[in-house]
C-alpha cells in the first residue's frame, strides 16, 4: 500500500472504524485485502434540522399545483379504476403486484372516493364527477417527497459529510422526471419510494457492523427485507434489489471468511441471519400482500375469465358448477381449454372465410357457456358400442367423434391451413357433415388422458367431468386440438382460434369436460356429481403470478412513446401524458442531472479500471485519502444501478422511460459521491462554491422544464426554446400561440368531436348473438383523438400496455372528424382509447371541410387493458 494512503485521513465529518490490513515485503507495503468501508454515522441535531428542511422543500415541490390537470392523466385510467375495484371488492386482474394499487385504494377511501367513477378514458373531468383526485394524488406526492430525506440519510450512512448529503437530496428533489411521476396516480412513485428506503435501510445496516446481532443491527436487517418485499409487491422491477443487495451480502460473507477471529459458528450465524432477513422476510411480505389482495377482491368481476375455474369458485358469485361426473358414449358435453385464459370448444352456423381454408363450418373457442358449446360423444367412424348392459364410459386410448348438437356437424380436421397460421404443422379444424352423410375418418380423434384427480379413483383411466385432463389427437394427421390464443378476424366474431397442431406442448392442448349430461340416465344408475374444488390461497398466488409473467412476456406492442433502454440514460425522449389548452404534461427528466449522473457512473468505471492497472504495477493512488470510501460507496450504487438497468436490455417487451427511475436515483448518488471526491481536498469556501453552483444550475434547469412538469401555461416560443434535443417531441402547438391553443373549443358532444375508425352505423346492433367476441379479446377501438406524434398521449401501463397498428395497411379510408386537419409536414398520430370522451379543455385539432381522408404514415395506439386487465409492465 502506498504510504501516502496510510497517512491520509478522512476530512472532518467522515468517521470510520475499519483498518486496512497490510503486509510488508522488504521495504514495500502493499494491500492484502480491502474490507468494505464502514461508516459509523449517528443522526445529530444538525442532521435532524437538515432532514426537516429538505422534507419541507420536497413536499412543496411535489404538492404544488397538484390539482392540475383536473382530468384523468395517462395511466390514471388504469390505477384509479383499480382503486375503485378494491373499494367495491370487485375482482380484477392486472399484470403488476397489488401493493401500490391497494395503497391508492386506501388513499381514495380516506379522501372520500366511493369507487363509482370508472376512469375509463384520458381527459375525463374529475371535478365534474366529484372525484377526490387530489387526495389520491397526495399519496404518491408524499411518498415522492420522502425519498428526498431518505437520500440525505443514505448519503450520510455511507460516510459523507452533511454538505454532500444535502446536495444529493436536492438533486433528487429537483429532478423533473421524478417530480412528474410522483404527482399522478401511477405505480412508479411507490416503487421508487420502497426502492430508496430499501437501500437506505441497507446503508444504515452497514453502519452497525460493529454491533452484530444487537437489537439495532437486527432492526435494520429486517427493515431491509420488509422494504424489499414491499418494492417487489409494487412492481416486479423491485426484484432487481435482490441481486444488488445479494452481491453486497455475498461480498461481505466472503470477506468474513478471511477473518480468523470469526469462528465458523459465528460465520454460520451471519449467513443464517442474512438468509432470513433478506430472503425469507421479503418472500413473506410479498405473500402477505397477495393475501390481502385476495381478501379485498372477494366478489366476481369481469376478469373471471382470465382465471382457472378452480380460482373462480373462490369468488362470491363466481363459477358454481355441478355436473354428471362420468362421460359416456351418447353424453352431451361442454369442453373447456384447461389453461388460465380459457374458453369452450365452440361452433356456429358460419363458415371459414380465409383464403387458404376449406369454407366449412367454423370451430372456435368462445368464453361463455352456451348451447353452441354442446357436443355429443359418439363412437369412431364405422364402429359401434354395445350399450345393452348400460351406458359405456369413454376411456383413455379410445377413438371418438364429437358431433355438434345444434348443427349436427362433426369436429373435423384435414390438410388445410388454419386461419391465423401458415405453419405446415398446423391444420384447420372445421365442422363437417350433411344429412345422409355418415362422415369419414377425418372426424376421428383419440382420447389421451394426461392426468386425473387423486381423490377420484379411475379419473386417469375413464373420462370424468372436471377431474380428467386429456388431449384429443386426430386419427389421421396425428395432431392435437390446440388453443392458439390468437384472436380471429371480425368475420369469425373475434373469437379465439383453435386448430390441430403436431408436436405441440401439452399445456395449450389440454382439455377437460366441464358439463356432462347423459340423456338416457335413469334413477337406478345412481349418477355421481362432480364439482370444481376451490383453490387454496397458495394456489391462487401461484396462478396469479404465473399469469403476470405471461402477460409481461406478451407485452410487445409499438406504442408511440415506447423507448428502449439504450435511449434512457441520455434522455433521448420523454413521454406525453396529457394535453390541454395552452399547457400539457410531458414526462421528461432534468437533463443536467441525467447527463451528469450518467457521466459519473461512466467515470467510476474508468477510475476503477485505471486504478486496477496501477495496482498491478504496485502503484497505489489514494485519491486524496478517499479511495476506500469512494470505491465502497460509489461502487455499491454503481452495481445497484447496473442491476436495475442492464436486465432491461434482455427484455423483448415494450418499455418506457419511467422504468429507469430506480436506476436514476442510484446514479444521482454516484454523482454526489463523485463531486465529493473531486472537492474533498479543496478549501472549504471553494468546495461550498462548487456545490452552490451545481445546485443553482440544477434549480435553473428544473424551473426551465417546470412548465411540462406542472402543466404550466407557456408560449409557443418559450416551448420551442426548451427543445435542446430534436428527439424531445413534446408538442409546442399546445402552448399559447400554437394552433391547438388558439382554435375554438371542441364540440360538447364527444361523438361530434371524434368518430371511430372504420365505424359501423350501429355498433350496438353488431354481433348481438351467441357468437359475440370472447371476454378476453381486446376490444375494438371506439373513439379516436387526433394529436401530433409529440402529443399522442397513450395510456401504457397497467402499464405500458398498448398495441399498435398502421393505418397505411388499411385499404378503406379512415373516418376522421370533420374539423381535423392532416399536416403533411407533421404526420398525425391517432390515439385510440375505448369510449374516448375529449375533455372540455382539449383543443380542437384544426379545421378541414373534408369529412374523410386517406391517411398514410399514421400510427394507431390504443390501450388494450380493460377491467379484465387483459393486456397483451416489469
Amino acid at each position: 500500500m502506498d504510504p501516502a494512503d496510510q497517512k491520509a485521513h478522512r476530512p472532518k465529518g467522515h468517521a470510520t472504524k475499519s483498518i486496512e490490513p497490510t503486509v510488508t515485503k522488504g521495504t514495500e507495503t502493499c494491500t492484502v485485502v480491502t474490507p468494505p468501508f464502514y461508516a459509523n454515522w449517528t443522526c445529530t441535531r444538525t442532521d435532524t434540522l437538515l432532514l426537516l428542511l429538505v422534507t419541507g422543500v420536497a413536499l412543496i415541490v411535489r404538492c404544488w399545483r397538484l390539482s392540475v390537470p383536473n382530468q384523468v392523466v395517462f395511466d390514471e385510467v388504469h390505477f384509479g379504476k383499480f382503486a375503485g375495484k378494491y373499494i367495491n371488492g370487485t375482482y380484477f386482474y392486472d399484470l403488476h403486484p397489488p401493493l401500490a394499487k391497494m395503497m391508492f385504494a386506501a388513499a381514495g377511501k380516506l379522501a372520500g372516493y366511493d369507487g363509482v367513477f370508472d376512469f375509463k378514458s384520458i381527459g375525463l373531468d374529475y371535478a365534474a364527477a366529484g372525484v377526490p383526485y387530489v387526495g389520491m394524488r397526495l399519496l404518491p406526492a408524499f411518498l415522492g417527497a420522502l425519498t428526498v430525506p431518505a437520500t440525505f440519510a443514505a448519503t450520510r450512512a455511507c460516510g459523507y459529510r452533511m454538505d454532500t448529503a444535502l446536495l444529493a437530496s436536492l438533486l433528487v428533489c429537483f429532478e423533473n422526471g421524478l417530480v412528474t411521476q410522483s404527482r399522478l396516480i401511477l405505480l412508479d412513485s411507490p416503487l421508487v419510494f420502497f426502492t430508496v428506503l430499501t437501500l437506505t435501510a441497507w446503508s444504515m445496516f452497514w453502519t452497525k457492523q460493529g454491533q452484530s446481532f444487537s437489537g439495532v443491527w437486527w432492526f435494520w436487517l429486517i427493515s431491509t427485507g420488509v422494504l424489499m418485499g414491499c418494492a417487489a409487491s409494487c412492481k416486479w422491477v423491485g426484484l432487481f434489489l435482490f441481486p444488488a443487495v445479494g452481491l453486497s451480502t455475498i461480498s461481505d460473507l466472503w470477506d468474513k471468511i478471511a477473518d480468523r477471529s470469526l469462528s465458523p459458528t459465528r460465520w454460520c450465524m451471519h449467513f443464517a441471519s442474512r438468509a432470513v432477513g433478506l430472503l425469507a422476510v421479503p418472500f413473506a411480505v410479498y405473500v402477505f400482500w397477495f393475501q390481502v389482495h385476495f381478501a379485498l377482491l372477494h366478489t366476481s368481476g369481469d376478469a373471471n375469465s382470465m382465471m382457472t375455474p378452480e380460482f373462480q369458485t373462490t369468488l362470491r358469485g363466481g363459477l358454481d358448477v355441478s355436473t354428471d361426473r362420468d362421460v359416456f358414449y351418447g353424453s352431451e358435453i361442454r369442453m373447456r381449454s384447461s389453461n388460465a385464459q380459457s374458453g369452450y370448444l365452440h361452433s356456429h352456423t358460419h363458415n371459414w372465410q380465409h383464403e387458404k381454408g376449406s369454407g366449412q363450418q367454423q370451430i372456435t373457442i368462445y368464453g361463455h357457456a352456451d348451447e353452441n358449446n354442446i357436443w355429443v360423444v359418439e363412437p369412431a367412424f364405422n364402429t359401434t358400442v354395445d350399450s345393452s348392459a348400460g351406458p359405456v364410459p369413454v376411456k383413455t386410448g379410445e377413438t371418438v367423434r364429437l358431433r355438434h348438437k345444434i348443427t349436427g356437424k362433426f369436429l373435423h380436421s384435414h390438410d388445410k391451413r388454419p386461419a391465423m397460421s401458415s405453419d405446415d404443422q398446423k391444420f384447420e379444424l372445421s365442422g363437417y357433415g350433411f344429412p345422409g352423410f355418415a362422415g369419414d375418418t377425418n372426424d376421428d380423434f383419440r382420447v389421451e388422458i394426461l392426468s386425473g384427480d387423486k381423490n377420484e379413483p379411475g379419473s386417469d383411466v375413464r373420462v370424468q367431468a372436471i377431474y380428467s385432463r386429456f388431449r384429443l389427437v386426430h386419427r389421421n394427421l396425428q395432431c392435437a386440438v390446440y388453443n392458439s390464443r390468437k384472436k380471429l378476424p371480425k368475420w369469425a366474431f373475434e373469437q379465439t382460434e383453435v386448430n390441430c397442431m403436431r408436436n405441440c406442448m401439452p399445456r395449450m392442448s389440454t382439455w377437460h369436460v366441464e358439463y356432462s349430461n347423459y340423456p338416457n340416465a335413469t334413477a337406478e344408475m345412481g349418477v355421481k356429481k362432480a364439482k370444481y374444488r376451490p383453490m387454496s390461497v397458495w394456489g391462487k398466488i401461484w396462478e396469479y403470478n404465473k399469469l403476470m409473467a405471461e402477460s409481461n412476456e406478451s407485452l410487445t406492442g409499438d406504442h408511440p412513446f415506447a423507448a428502449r433502454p439504450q435511449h434512457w440514460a441520455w434522455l433521448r425522449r420523454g413521454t406525453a401524458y396529457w394535453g390541454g389548452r395552452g399547457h400539457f404534461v410531458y414526462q421528461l427528466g432534468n437533463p443536467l442531472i441525467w447527463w451528469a449522473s450518467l457521466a459519473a457512473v461512466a467515470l467510476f468505471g474508468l477510475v476503477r479500471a485505471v486504478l486496477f492497472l496501477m495496482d498491478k504495477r504496485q502503484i497505489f493512488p489514494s485519491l486524496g485519502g478517499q479511495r476506500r470510501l469512494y470505491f465502497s460507496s460509489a461502487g455499491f450504487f454503481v452495481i445497484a444501478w447496473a442491476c436495475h438497468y442492464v436486465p432491461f436490455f434482455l427484455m423483448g417487451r415494450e418499455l418506457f422511460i419511467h422504468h429507469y427511475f430506480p436506476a436514476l436515483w442510484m446514479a444521482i448518488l454516484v454523482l454526489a459521491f463523485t463531486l465529493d471526491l473531486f472537492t474533498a481536498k479543496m478549501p472549504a469556501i471553494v468546495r461550498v462554491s462548487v456545490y452552490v453552483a451545481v445546485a443553482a444550475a440544477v434549480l435553473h434547469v428544473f424551473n426551465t422544464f417546470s412548465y411540462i412538469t406542472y402543466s404550466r401555461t407557456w408560449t409557443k416560443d418559450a416551448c420551442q426554446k426548451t427543445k435542446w434535443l430534436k428527439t424531445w417531441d413534446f408538442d409546442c402547438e399546445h402552448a399559447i400561440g400554437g394552433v391547438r391553443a388558439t382554435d375554438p373549443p371542441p364540440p360538447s358532444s364527444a361523438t361530434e368531436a371524434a368518430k371511430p375508425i372504420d365505424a359501423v352505423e350501429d355498433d350496438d346492433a353488431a354481433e348481438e348473438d351467441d357468437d359475440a367476441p370472447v371476454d378476453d379479446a381486446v376490444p375494438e377501438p371506439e373513439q379516436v383523438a387526433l394529436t401530433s406524434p409529440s402529443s399522442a398521449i397513450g395510456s401504457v401501463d397497467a402499464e405500458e400496455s398498448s398495441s399498435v397498428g398502421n393505418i397505411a395497411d388499411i385499404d378503406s379510408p379512415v373516418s376522421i372528424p370533420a374539423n381535423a386537419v392532416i399536416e403533411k409536414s407533421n404526420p398525425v398520430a391517432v390515439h385510440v382509447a375505448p369510449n374516448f370522451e375529449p375533455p372540455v379543455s382539449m383543443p380542437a385539432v384544426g379545421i378541414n371541410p373534408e369529412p374523410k381522408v386517406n391517411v398514410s404514415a399514421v400510427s394507431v395506439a390504443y390501450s388494450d387493458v380493460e377491467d379484465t386487465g387483459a393486456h397483451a409492465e416489469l
Side-chain angles (χ1 to χ4, degrees), residues 786-849:
L786 298 182
T787 62
S788 75
S790 59
S791 60
I793 304 167
S795 177
V796 297
D797 210 337
E799 195 169 76
E800 312 153 26
S801 53
S802 58
S803 299
V804 175
N806 195 325
I807 295 186
D809 298 331
I810 301 175
D811 294 332
S812 59
V814 178
S815 296
I816 303 295
N819 66 334
V821 62
I822 308 300
E823 299 176 11
K824 293 183 179 180
S825 62
N826 189 9
V828 176
V830 182
H831 168 69
V832 183
N835 299 317
F836 181 86
E837 296 179 7
V840 174
S841 63
M842 181 175 287
V845 178
I847 298 178
N848 189 331

Side-chain angles (χ1 to χ4, degrees), residues 481-761:
V481 178
Y482 177 78
N483 180 358
S484 75
R485 294 177 291 178
K486 295 179 180 178
K487 188 175 73 170
L488 289 162
K490 287 185 177 181
W491 50 258
F493 309 103
E494 297 183 319
Q495 296 177 5
T496 303
E497 184 198 43
V498 58
N499 57 48
C500 198
M501 181 178 177
R502 288 174 179 163
N503 305 316
C504 58
M505 298 297 291
R507 179 174 174 273
M508 301 311 298
S509 60
T510 301
W511 301 80
H512 67 273
V513 174
E514 184 174 281
Y515 165 81
S516 175
N517 175 54
Y518 185 64
N520 299 323
T522 62
E524 290 76 17
M525 289 176 56
V527 177
K528 295 182 178 179
K529 297 293 184 178
K531 294 187 67 173
Y532 287 115
R533 293 187 174 88
M535 186 176 285
S536 67
V537 173
W538 286 104
K540 292 172 69 174
I541 293 174
W542 171 255
E543 178 177 320
Y544 198 99
N545 280 265
K546 185 171 67 171
L547 190 56
M548 286 165 53
E550 294 171 357
S551 299
N552 276 281
E553 185 179 358
S554 64
L555 190 60
T556 55
D558 188 19
H559 191 276
F561 287 96
R564 296 304 300 170
Q566 61 267 28
H567 299 147
W568 297 346
W570 59 281
L571 201 60
R572 180 179 180 270
R573 67 185 305 216
T575 306
Y577 275 9
W578 177 87
R581 296 176 62 80
H583 54 114
F584 55 92
V585 179
Y586 185 89
Q587 171 63 278
L588 188 72
N590 186 316
L592 181 58
I593 294 176
W594 284 59
W595 296 337
S597 62
L598 177 61
V601 171
L603 181 62
F604 174 86
L606 178 63
V607 171
R608 193 72 182 85
V610 170
L611 265 62
F612 174 78
L613 296 176
M614 295 180 70
D615 289 348
K616 285 296 184 182
R617 296 182 61 84
Q618 301 298 304
I619 302 173
F620 304 101
S622 66
L623 300 182
Q626 295 234 90
R627 174 170 174 161
R628 283 173 47 224
L629 172 65
Y630 177 65
F631 279 178
S632 182
S633 56
F636 169 74
F637 283 100
V638 166
I639 291 173
W641 172 86
C643 290
H644 283 77
Y645 186 33
V646 174
F648 287 108
F649 286 89
L650 308 177
M651 297 182 188
R653 59 152 292 177
E654 197 169 50
L655 298 169
F656 297 85
I657 194 170
H658 57 252
H659 286 111
Y660 184 67
F661 285 158
L664 172 65
W665 179 80
M666 299 156 200
I668 290 174
L669 262 67
V670 176
L671 172 60
F673 299 162
T674 303
L675 290 171
D676 180 88
L677 173 68
F678 283 99
T679 60
K681 290 299 182 180
M682 291 181 179
I685 186 64
V686 177
R687 176 184 169 96
V688 170
S689 299
V690 171
Y691 278 21
V692 169
V694 170
V698 166
L699 187 58
H700 171 72
V701 176
F702 173 80
N703 181 66
T704 299
F705 291 92
S706 66
Y707 292 90
I708 58 178
T709 300
Y710 293 107
S711 188
R712 296 171 61 190
T713 301
W714 61 350
T715 64
K716 180 179 178 179
D717 290 340
C719 175
Q720 290 177 334
K721 288 179 181 179
T722 61
K723 286 193 174 184
W724 296 358
L725 298 181
K726 293 181 179 179
T727 52
W728 291 354
D729 50 0
F730 47 84
D731 184 13
C732 291
E733 294 301 325
H734 277 291
I736 298 298
V739 174
R740 293 177 181 81
T742 56
D743 281 346
S748 58
S749 171
T751 56
E752 292 178 12
K755 296 180 183 295
I757 294 179
D758 292 335
V760 295
E761 290 298 322

Side-chain angles (χ1 to χ4, degrees), residues 246-282:
L247 289 172
S248 175
T249 301
I250 292 171
S251 175
D252 177 43
L253 292 175
W254 181 254
D255 288 335
K256 282 180 166 53
I257 291 179
D259 187 356
R260 296 183 179 180
S261 65
L262 195 66
S263 68
T265 301
R266 191 77 170 175
W267 187 91
C268 289
M269 291 174 61
H270 277 283
F271 177 87
S273 62
R274 285 160 174 78
V276 171
L278 303 178
L279 292 177
V281 169

